[in-house]
């Protein structure tokens, strides 16, 4: 039976990894998507959509499908999924590789305000501006719903669900974005403060450059910590190197 790798996906890195592994003869690759986006990008290999039913359900699925290794390539803020992956692979006796692209780092001229959570970002926001550009995704916007004196531009791949701040304009778009495009958007909506999660990667980093060029403050939500004992791989080549030592067709 061909060795079977499960990728917990949803990121650009997960798609790139699936393409690399699917091109290898004698290797079975399945990517699992949470199903929160109705039109995800194309993914090579087998694809499943939906949850597993927690760590126990994932462990059962791994055993039933004859999985040999798991790669957690989910979003850096998908804390619950990563915790379940750690518990499930330990229960099933399987190796786990966690792929986490490096976070962003402030440079000269940046006016960053790091916070630990979305509620903390909402608490800080009125002291920094009146017209905020929210790029934290469509989940968690309820944290800002009580800010009735501020105006918001919310960017999301799909329409967000309420509750939303009362004065909100939604922009539906999927990255990658350019510095020119982000600068034009900030100027068009007269944005005076940016709110983002430290997702890392190049696809959505242009907004940080645009904010720096315009002298805007940026509220950056820090990443949640990884579970104890997890040492992440920073990119797809690093994951492939680890898998080569674990799984051979």
């Amino acid at each position: 039976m061909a060795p079977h790798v499960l990728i917990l996906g949803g990121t650009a890195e997960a798609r790139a990894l699936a393409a690399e592994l699917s091109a290898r003869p004698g290797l079975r690759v399945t990517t699992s998507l949470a199903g929160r986006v109705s039109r995800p990008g194309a993914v090579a290999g087998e694809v499943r959509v939906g949850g597993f039913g927690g760590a126990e359900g994932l462990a059962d699925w791994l055993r039933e499908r004859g999985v040999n290794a798991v790669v957690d390539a989910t979003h850096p803020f998908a804390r619950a999924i990563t915790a379940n992956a750690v518990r499930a692979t330990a229960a099933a006796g399987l190796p786990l590789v966690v792929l986490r692209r490096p976070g962003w780092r402030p440079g000269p001229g940046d006016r960053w305000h790091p916070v630990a959570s979305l509620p903390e970002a909402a608490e800080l926001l009125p002291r920094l501006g009146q017209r905020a550009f929210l790029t934290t995704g469509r989940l968690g916007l309820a944290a800002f719903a009580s800010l009735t004196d501020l105006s918001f531009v919310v960017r999301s791949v799909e329409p967000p669900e309420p509750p939303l701040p009362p004065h909100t304009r939604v922009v539906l778009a999927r990255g990658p974005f350019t510095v020119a495009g982000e600068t034009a958007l900030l100027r068009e909506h007269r944005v005076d403060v940016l709110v983002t999660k430290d997702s890392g990667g190049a696809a959505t980093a242009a907004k940080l450059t645009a904010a720096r060029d315009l002298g805007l403050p940026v509220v950056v939500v820090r990443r949640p910590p990884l579970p104890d004992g997890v040492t992440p791989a920073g990119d797809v080549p690093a994951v492939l190197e680890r898998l080569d030592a674990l799984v051979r067709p």
Side-chain angles (χ1 to χ4, degrees):
M1 183 179 296
H4 188 186
V5 176
L6 172 68
I7 301 172
L8 302 176
T11 60
E13 290 82 5
R15 291 192 294 273
L17 179 63
E20 290 275 359
L21 293 176
S22 296
R24 298 185 175 187
L27 187 64
R28 181 183 175 191
V29 182
T30 301
T31 298
S32 177
L33 304 175
R36 291 173 176 168
V37 177
S38 62
R39 292 180 296 172
V43 180
E46 301 175 35
V47 177
R48 70 171 300 279
V49 178
F52 292 94
E56 291 185 6
L58 175 56
D60 290 341
W61 194 94
L62 297 174
R63 297 186 189 101
E64 293 168 0
R65 302 304 195 280
V67 172
N68 300 94
V70 178
V71 179
D72 172 16
T74 56
H75 193 276
F77 283 80
R79 185 174 188 173
I81 298 176
T82 298
N84 285 341
V86 170
R87 292 196 296 268
T89 51
L94 297 177
L96 170 68
V97 181
V98 176
L99 170 57
R100 286 293 182 273
R101 56 183 177 248
W104 294 315
R105 293 184 179 275
D110 282 322
R111 298 171 57 196
W112 285 18
H113 299 264
V115 296
S117 65
L118 291 175
E120 189 174 327
E123 183 179 355
L124 175 63
L125 201 51
R127 288 177 263 164
L128 298 175
Q130 293 296 310
R131 300 183 65 85
F133 182 30
L134 290 184
T135 62
T136 56
R138 63 191 178 96
L139 303 177
L141 295 178
F144 303 90
S146 63
L147 299 178
T148 58
D149 293 334
L150 274 63
S151 297
F152 293 88
V153 177
V154 171
R155 182 163 66 200
S156 176
V157 175
E158 296 192 349
E161 298 179 358
L164 301 175
H167 307 294
T168 296
R169 176 173 297 183
V170 176
V171 176
L172 299 180
R174 186 195 299 267
F177 303 102
T178 66
V179 174
E182 298 290 65
T183 301
L185 184 149
L186 293 172
R187 284 176 170 161
E188 176 187 353
H189 296 284
R190 294 179 288 124
V191 168
D192 55 15
V193 59
L194 168 66
V195 184
T196 186
K197 292 179 176 179
D198 180 17
S199 301
T204 59
K207 62 192 172 190
L208 300 173
T209 302
R212 180 193 310 131
D213 292 344
L214 294 174
L216 303 183
V218 181
V219 180
V220 181
V221 182
R222 292 189 294 265
R223 296 179 176 189
L226 288 169
D228 292 341
V230 172
T231 301
D235 55 24
V236 170
V239 172
L240 293 173
E241 183 177 350
R242 293 194 193 182
L243 287 177
D244 286 340
L246 298 170
V247 179
R248 296 186 181 277

